[in-house]
C-alpha cells in the first residue's frame, strides 16, 4: 500500500442545476518521503486534489488514503482532527497573523496539535533564527513564506501540502523556497505535495503528477539521488 492513494476519485460540484465534474476517475499514488509535484492547465482539478488531500472537502466517490487511513470515509468531526494533526498547509500568500511575531505565528500552529516540534527549532531550520521577533510586515516575501513553512512543519504533519508556494515570489526567491522544500523533504523525511506552475519544481520532484480534465494523465518517478548511486 502506498503512503498516499487516490483511487478512481470523482468530485462533482453542483450549483443549482449545473454540474461540474472536477475530478473524473482520478488515480495516483505517492510513496512516503517523496516530493510530489502536481501540474496541469488551469481548471484541470489541481486545487480540488489538494482540498481533498487536506480534508477540506469530500469526494463524490472513490477512495483516498493517507498512511493506511481512509480519509474519504471520514465524517466532519474526523476531518477536523485530520486537518489539525495530520496535514500542514502552505499557501501562495503566506496567511500569517500580522500582529504576531514570526515565532508566535509558528507557536500558534504547535498549540493546536498533539505532537508539535519546538517552534524556535523549526524557525532555525528554515534559516530564520535571527528573525523570530520580527512581525510579518518587517519580513520580505521569501522570509514570510519561510515562516509559513515553519508553521506548517511545527505540527510535524504526515503530509505537507503546498498551493503555489512560489507564486507570489520573484524568480530568485522562489528558487530559494524550492530549495528549502527539497531540503526539508530530504532531511526530515516529510512527504511533500506541491501544486505549482513553476516548472523548476518538476526538475527536483521525485514524482510528477500531470492532471488533465479531472484525471491524472501520467505519473513519472525520478530516481532518488540515493537510489542512483
Ligand atoms: P485547477 O486548480 O487545476 O485550476 P480546480 O480544481 O480549481 O482546477 O477546478 C476544477 C474544475 O472544477 C473547474 O472546472 C472549476 O471551475 C470547477 N470548480 C472548482 N471549485 C468549484 C466549486 N466550488 N464550485 C463549482 N465548481 C468548481
Ligand atoms: P527578497 O529578495 O527575499 O524578497 P527583499 O529584497 O524584499 O528580499 O528584502 C531584503 C531584506 O530587507 C530582507 O532581509 C528583509 O528582511 C528586509 N526587509 C524587507 N522589507 C522590510 C521591512 N518592511 N522592514 C524591515 N526589513 C525589511
Amino acid at each position: 500500500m502506498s503512503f498516499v492513494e487516490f483511487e478512481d476519485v470523482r468530485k462533482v460540484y453542483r450549483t443549482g442545476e449545473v454540474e461540474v465534474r472536477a475530478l473524473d476517475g482520478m488515480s495516483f499514488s505517492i510513496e512516503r518521503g517523496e516530493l510530489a509535484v502536481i501540474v496541469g492547465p488551469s481548471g484541470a482539478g489541481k486545487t480540488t486534489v489538494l482540498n481533498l488531500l487536506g480534508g477540506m472537502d469530500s469526494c463524490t466517490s472513490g477512495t483516498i488514503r493517507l498512511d493506511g487511513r481512509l480519509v474519504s470515509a471520514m465524517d466532519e468531526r474526523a476531518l477536523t482532527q485530520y486537518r489539525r494533526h495530520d496535514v500542514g498547509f502552505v499557501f501562495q500568500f503566506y496567511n500569517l497573523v500580522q500582529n504576531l511575531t514570526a515565532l508566535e505565528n509558528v507557536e500558534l500552529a504547535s498549540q493546536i496539535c498533539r505532537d508539535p516540534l519546538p517552534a524556535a527549532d523549526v524557525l532555525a531550520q528554515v534559516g530564520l533564527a535571527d528573525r523570530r521577533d520580527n512581525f510579518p510586515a518587517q519580513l520580505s516575501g521569501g522570509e514570510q513564506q519561510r515562516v509559513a513553512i515553519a508553521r506548517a512543519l511545527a505540527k510535524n504533519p504526515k503530509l505537507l501540502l503546498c498551493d503555489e508556494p512560489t507564486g507570489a515570489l520573484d524568480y530568485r526567491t522562489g528558487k530559494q523556497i524550492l530549495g528549502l522544500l527539497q531540503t526539508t523533504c530530504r532531511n526530515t523525511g516529510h512527504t511533500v505535495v506541491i501544486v505549482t506552475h513553476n516548472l523548476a519544481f518538476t526538475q527536483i520532484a521525485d514524482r510528477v503528477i500531470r492532471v488533465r480534465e479531472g484525471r491524472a494523465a501520467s505519473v513519472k518517478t525520478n530516481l532518488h539521488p540515493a537510489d542512483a548511486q
Side-chain angles (χ1 to χ4, degrees):
M1 190 183 284
S2 296
F3 192 65
V4 175
E5 290 188 345
F6 251 60
E7 237 178 81
D8 200 21
V9 173
R10 282 162 216 278
K11 175 67 183 176
V12 180
Y13 291 107
R14 286 195 185 81
T15 349
E17 300 286 293
V18 184
E19 277 195 358
V20 178
R21 279 195 222 184
L23 301 188
D24 194 17
M26 178 168 297
S27 302
F28 64 83
S29 56
I30 299 170
E31 302 303 328
R32 188 192 295 269
E34 278 185 346
L35 189 151
V37 171
I38 301 179
V39 295
S42 181
K46 305 183 294 296
T47 305
T48 302
V49 170
L50 218 56
N51 287 343
L52 295 178
L53 271 179
M56 290 171 287
D57 203 352
S58 302
C59 57
T60 309
S61 68
T63 53
I64 300 170
R65 284 195 183 83
L66 172 64
D67 199 12
R69 290 171 66 206
L70 204 52
V71 179
S72 49
M74 290 180 183
D75 59 15
E76 266 313 313
R77 202 186 147 87
L79 282 177
T80 303
Q81 294 299 312
Y82 173 82
R83 283 194 299 271
R84 196 170 286 175
H85 301 294
D86 297 316
V87 281
F89 301 97
V90 173
F91 305 98
Q92 181 173 1
F93 295 108
Y94 332 128
N95 293 8
L96 299 176
V97 181
Q98 293 299 312
N99 62 349
L100 297 181
T101 64
L103 185 68
E104 288 165 346
N105 265 283
V106 178
E107 283 170 345
L108 200 63
S110 336
Q111 281 162 14
I112 62 160
C113 66
R114 246 179 256 120
D115 210 7
L117 303 173
D121 291 1
V122 185
L123 261 187
Q125 190 189 316
V126 301
L128 286 184
D130 58 341
R131 292 296 191 152
R132 50 186 276 173
D133 297 323
N134 284 94
F135 292 94
Q138 298 171 315
L139 300 172
S140 71
E143 289 168 333
Q144 290 185 61
Q145 193 58 301
R146 283 172 191 270
V147 175
I149 290 168
R151 179 181 59 183
L153 288 174
K155 291 166 73 178
N156 200 12
K158 291 201 159 143
L159 203 55
L160 183 64
L161 298 176
C162 311
D163 193 359
E164 292 286 358
T166 63
L169 302 172
D170 60 53
Y171 179 78
R172 183 178 58 85
T173 314
K175 261 194 115 162
Q176 289 164 359
I177 292 299
L178 180 150
L180 174 64
L181 288 170
Q182 184 182 27
T183 312
T184 298
C185 184
R186 294 278 178 273
N187 294 352
T188 67
H190 276 98
T191 308
V192 181
V193 180
I194 303 169
V195 165
T196 186
H197 282 100
N198 185 341
L199 289 180
F201 272 110
T202 59
Q203 285 154 25
I204 60 146
D206 299 308
R207 187 177 294 270
V208 178
I209 299 169
R210 291 180 199 283
V211 172
R212 232 190 126 168
E213 293 175 359
R215 289 167 159 260
S218 84
V219 175
K220 168 171 165 279
T221 311
N222 286 337
L223 279 180
H224 232 278
D227 302 333
Q229 303 298 316

